[in-house]
Amino acid sequence: YNNFTMKLPDVMVPVNASEYAFMNQKKRRKATIITIPHGVDVNLFKPLKKKSKLLRVGYVGRLAPIKYPEVALRIFKNATQGIKNTEFWWIGPLDHSYPLNYFETLKQQVGVTHAQYFDRVDNEQLPVLLNQLDIFLQVEQQKNVSRSTTEAAACGLPVVGLNIGKEAYGLFSRDEGEVTTHLTKLLNSKQLREEEGKRNREIIVQHFSEESIYDTYISLFETISHEKK
């Protein structure tokens, strides 16, 4: 981007809060700006039957400093005290700044034994892995809610996020204690997990599915066309 090209559009469509803040500063004064998130393929990302009896908490995203993997493991450790048969999964490519054995070293440092790391997986395979989780934990502490979090909600998972950005499909808080406490509640209650997971799926289908996003774009185009006449 540069200052000139950002002044050209009549309408700007960021996909998240960070893009909105940037574009809103650069756009032409009279330009329209509206946030429309990425759509989720709810026929691909959907609930499937879980086979394992383990209670799994997990995250999908690059294993990188900006994702705070040490915080995720710390929250998992504190939330699972006294709870048996729990496991943490981190799914995503390793950042080039980390050594190959980083996750294993981090587990030892934090004091977490039951945790696994999975490298990058194909998008077609990702829903299968997401459905082996019981709870999705995001700790990015950013203004945005990651796309993988939306995909997890589409799979009917309860979502807990240590994050600045918030969405209706989960508990999002900047308070690590609140996040840890809610994660513990979810781990201790199958009924609560099912209730929150079902609600999250319904929210995604209604507001974040590709179909609903297409409708939003069509409405935007119709509004612009009407204003131009």
Side-chain angles (χ1 to χ4, degrees), residues 6-7 22 26 48 62-63 84 86 100 110 128 130-131 133 143 150 165 178 193 213 216:
M6 296 295 284
K7 300 293 184 184
F22 174 75
K26 302 290 185 180
L48 302 172
R62 188 160 50 98
L63 184 57
K84 297 181 180 179
T86 58
L100 293 177
V110 178
V128 176
L130 280 171
N131 274 281
L133 304 178
K143 293 181 180 179
T150 312
E178 182 180 8
R193 294 196 301 273
I213 297 302
T216 303

Side-chain angles (χ1 to χ4, degrees), residues 65-82:
I66 62 170
K67 303 294 185 179
Y68 299 98
E70 71 283 357
V71 176
L73 286 180
R74 182 175 69 231
I75 291 175
F76 171 78
K77 177 184 177 182
N78 293 334
T80 56
Q81 289 184 9

Side-chain angles (χ1 to χ4, degrees), residues 15-16 36-42 44-45 59-61 67 123 126 130 136 138 140 142 144-155 159 163 167 169 172 204 208-210 213-214:
V15 298
N16 55 46
I36 302 178
H38 292 299
V40 177
D41 184 348
V42 294
L44 175 63
F45 290 91
Y59 172 75
V60 175
K67 303 294 185 179
N123 200 54
L126 183 54
L130 280 171
F136 192 87
Q138 178 197 353
E140 295 179 12
Q142 297 179 3
N144 308 321
V145 175
S146 68
R147 183 183 180 93
S148 64
T149 307
T150 312
E151 293 169 344
C155 290
V159 171
N163 210 48
E167 293 290 355
Y169 54 84
F172 294 91
I204 297 301
F208 293 87
S209 65
E210 289 180 342
I213 297 302
Y214 295 157

Side-chain angles (χ1 to χ4, degrees), residues 17 39 51 53 67 101 115 128 140 155 159 200 207 217 227-229:
K51 298 179 180 180
K53 293 182 178 180
K67 303 294 185 179
N101 65 341
V128 176
E140 295 179 12
C155 290
V159 171
N200 291 349
H207 299 291
Y217 270 104
E227 290 175 352
K228 291 292 185 181
K229 291 181 180 179

